[in-house]
Amino acid sequence: MLSQIIDGKAVAQEIRKKVAAEVQKLRESGTIPGLAVILVGNDPASELYVNNKAKACEECGINSKVIRLPQKTPEDELLLLVKQLNYDPEIHGILVQLPLPLQIRERAIIEAISPLKDVDGIHPENIGKLWTGNAYLKPCTPYGCMELLKRTVPDLRGKKAVVIGRSILVGKPMAALLLQENATVTLCHSYTQNLPGITRSADILVVAIGKPGYVKGEMIKPGAVVIDVGINRIEGKITGDVDFASASERAGWLTPVPGGVGPMTIAMLMQNTLEAVYGQKNILR
Ligand code: GUN
């Protein structure tokens, strides 16, 4: 039997609709949520992501301010911009599209963003809150993966979850979120030995390594839930980190690429912008 498909596009739409309704209420009470997105340089993939983010904002009633800076922008100029946005009362969320050009230290920029406006959830303060079980803003992609997982596996307690990839934006926060739901988490990376042995024990497998088709069906436990975070471009086509054909003969559930995690990342960015408004206005929910 072939895997069931986890329809990220449909779930993302449902979440965006809910956000739009809450934004409408905020607007009626005089607050217009605002998101600033900064893009340095003109990497075509980043350009596409940023445009999609702006489109989603418009659909949800969030004001978006896209700021495009030249590739050669010096670090202090970007730092100054971030600091100005920190104090801008019309801006509730700040997202600096990564990666940044080499002359800019990513960490310096991330640490300059007000933790209250850090809709990527990667400021050290927010990372600390996440790992202590007091998450404020959670990184959008793993947050989206968790929404998909919760709809597929209502009770994650005691499940064996394996995450491949340990990036700041995906792998590490994914492990923290799974741990928070009481899954037993293994975080794998490029130095992990006997990876297929580990992945074959996973009830839940999350793959975020940026290697097209890397995880084959034989690495998957029959019936497992597989979340493919990869977005790889090969000859103009988008493919995931999981080999869909062989995986769909083993997994119980599988996210497609495109149409799986990708749309969820943007939906959770909208959700985070809303949560940032609540955080800054001290609105308890
Ligand atoms: N580049 C690729 N994904 C992301 C993301 O989620 N946030 C930011 N800031 N940059 C990215």
Side-chain angles (χ1 to χ4, degrees), residues 153 155-161 182-185 203-204:
V153 188
D155 189 358
L156 290 165
R157 285 179 295 181
K159 292 280 189 293
K160 184 147 196 331
N182 297 307
T184 301
V185 184
D203 302 310
I204 290 149

Side-chain angles (χ1 to χ4, degrees), residues 1-137:
M1 210 175 68
L2 289 181
S3 316
Q4 305 216 52
I5 300 302
I6 302 176
D7 190 347
K9 207 172 152 189
V11 177
Q13 197 161 10
E14 173 197 314
I15 290 170
R16 290 215 305 256
K17 237 170 117 178
K18 236 189 255 171
V19 171
E22 287 192 52
V23 168
Q24 181 59 28
K25 272 193 227 155
L26 279 171
R27 280 180 166 257
E28 281 160 13
S29 69
T31 298
I32 304 171
L35 173 68
V37 179
I38 304 171
L39 174 59
V40 185
N42 36 25
D43 172 59
S46 292
E47 188 75 49
L48 183 68
Y49 293 144
V50 165
N51 289 339
N52 286 341
K53 286 166 185 173
K55 231 188 283 172
C57 281
E58 199 178 324
E59 200 190 292
C60 292
I62 294 171
N63 260 359
S64 72
K65 182 172 181 175
V66 177
I67 302 157
R68 290 185 166 79
L69 299 174
Q71 179 78 19
K72 291 209 163 94
T73 302
E75 183 180 291
D76 56 356
E77 218 171 279
L78 183 56
L79 275 175
L80 185 63
L81 173 64
V82 166
K83 285 174 187 165
Q84 283 166 347
L85 292 167
N86 283 344
Y87 286 102
D88 185 338
E90 290 182 3
I91 295 297
H92 304 92
I94 302 170
L95 184 144
V96 180
Q97 187 66 30
L98 304 175
L100 287 167
L102 292 177
Q103 76 276 15
I104 301 175
R105 292 167 303 155
E106 276 183 6
R107 263 291 126 200
I109 302 302
I110 290 164
E111 291 179 20
I113 298 172
S114 160
L116 288 169
K117 298 191 176 184
D118 167 37
V119 285
D120 260 329
I122 49 178
H123 186 284
E125 187 174 315
N126 287 322
I127 297 175
K129 285 184 173 172
L130 177 68
W131 281 95
T132 50
N134 303 293
Y136 169 50
L137 295 164

Side-chain angles (χ1 to χ4, degrees), residues 133-206:
N134 303 293
Y136 169 50
L137 295 164
K138 298 173 269 198
C140 305
T141 300
Y143 190 6
C145 293
M146 289 306 290
E147 288 297 314
L148 293 179
L149 275 177
K150 282 183 188 173
R151 284 164 172 77
T152 314
V153 188
D155 189 358
L156 290 165
R157 285 179 295 181
K159 292 280 189 293
K160 184 147 196 331
V162 172
V163 179
I164 320 181
R166 55 171 155 183
S167 67
I168 291 289
L169 270 169
V170 185
K172 282 178 187 165
M174 188 71 216
L177 290 169
L178 284 162
L179 188 60
Q180 189 62 27
E181 295 301 321
N182 297 307
T184 301
V185 184
T186 306
L187 185 48
C188 301
H189 46 78
S190 50
Y191 287 93
T192 297
Q193 294 181 10
N194 185 22
L195 184 65
I198 297 171
T199 56
R200 267 195 291 271
S201 73
D203 302 310
I204 290 149
L205 180 60
V206 181

